[in-house]
Amino acid sequence: MPKVLILTGDAAEDLEFFYPYQRLLEEGYEVDVAAPTAKKLQFVVHDFVDGFDTYTEKPGHTWPADIAFADVDPNDYVALVVPGGRAPEYIRNDPDAQRIVQHFMQAGAPTAALCHGPLLLAAAKTLDGRRSSAYPALSVDVETAGGTFVDGAAIVDGNLVTGRAWPDHPDWFRAFMEQLRKVAPA
């Protein structure tokens, strides 16, 4: 059974982790969750409130990480998913997380990033010359990394599929699954 890797950490957005995790399992893929250390992670729930300039945040579910970034051999996986939330803000500083992202992007393997996920791709220096969506407030981060920000639900640039936030799930993950099924059907 093909394996997919999810890179995340504490404060990942609850829906942005669980939706791809469960869809991949449903489709028949094995999924490993990688974080800075193999431990129980605490996720958060982001919501959008009318009249509020940004999202709100509340405690979410917990979930165990299967493996630490340092122990990941990217060759064991056919694809990568980077959920959003606040986790990408700090995991982007981890050299092993950057190494993993670089592997998938350089190999042309299906890579999905949502919301704040492109912060990790930017830190890994893999957005240069690429089109990428992200949470709209991160447009400057995408462009500072050499990418072109596109405000869309499912922006596909080669092997990379990006979206703005959890409301984009249907379009974003449909585009990712189309890529994944082509290279590694379950």
Side-chain angles (χ1 to χ4, degrees):
M1 170 181 326
K3 291 171 63 173
V4 177
L5 185 65
I6 296 179
L7 289 185
T8 195
D10 286 322
E13 209 293 323
D14 211 84
L15 290 173
E16 294 176 8
F17 169 79
F18 282 109
Y19 183 86
Y21 179 81
Q22 291 173 331
R23 276 290 295 119
L24 288 162
L25 293 176
E26 175 187 12
E27 193 78 18
Y29 292 91
E30 186 177 337
V31 182
D32 281 347
V33 178
T37 61
K39 68 169 196 153
K40 183 194 271 187
L41 300 171
Q42 175 65 58
F43 298 146
V44 297
V45 174
H46 289 157
D47 205 356
F48 303 98
V49 177
D50 288 340
F52 201 70
D53 289 335
T54 189
Y55 52 84
T56 62
E57 182 174 284
K58 299 168 187 72
H61 292 87
T62 60
W63 198 258
D66 301 303
I67 188 169
F69 295 151
D71 297 326
V72 170
D73 179 351
N75 293 303
D76 293 342
Y77 302 92
V78 297
L80 175 67
V81 176
V82 183
R86 285 186 298 110
E89 294 174 14
Y90 71 92
I91 67 173
R92 67 182 167 170
N93 297 312
D94 187 300
D96 284 305
Q98 293 176 19
R99 166 186 62 85
I100 294 164
V101 168
Q102 289 165 352
H103 169 87
F104 285 95
M105 293 294 285
Q106 291 167 1
T111 301
L114 188 67
C115 196
H116 285 65
L119 288 175
L120 175 55
L121 279 65
K125 297 178 177 38
T126 61
L127 287 182
D128 191 31
R130 297 276 197 150
R131 297 170 63 245
S132 177
S133 189
Y135 186 67
L138 303 182
S139 62
V140 68
D141 298 278
V142 170
E143 292 171 357
T144 299
T148 300
F149 176 77
V150 182
D151 189 4
I155 304 306
V156 178
D157 186 329
N159 64 310
L160 178 62
V161 181
T162 54
R164 295 168 295 205
W166 59 260
D168 292 343
H169 277 161
D171 295 326
W172 170 68
F173 220 68
R174 182 181 312 111
F176 175 71
M177 290 304 300
E178 288 171 5
Q179 283 198 359
L180 181 54
R181 287 184 193 116
K182 286 178 189 173
V183 300

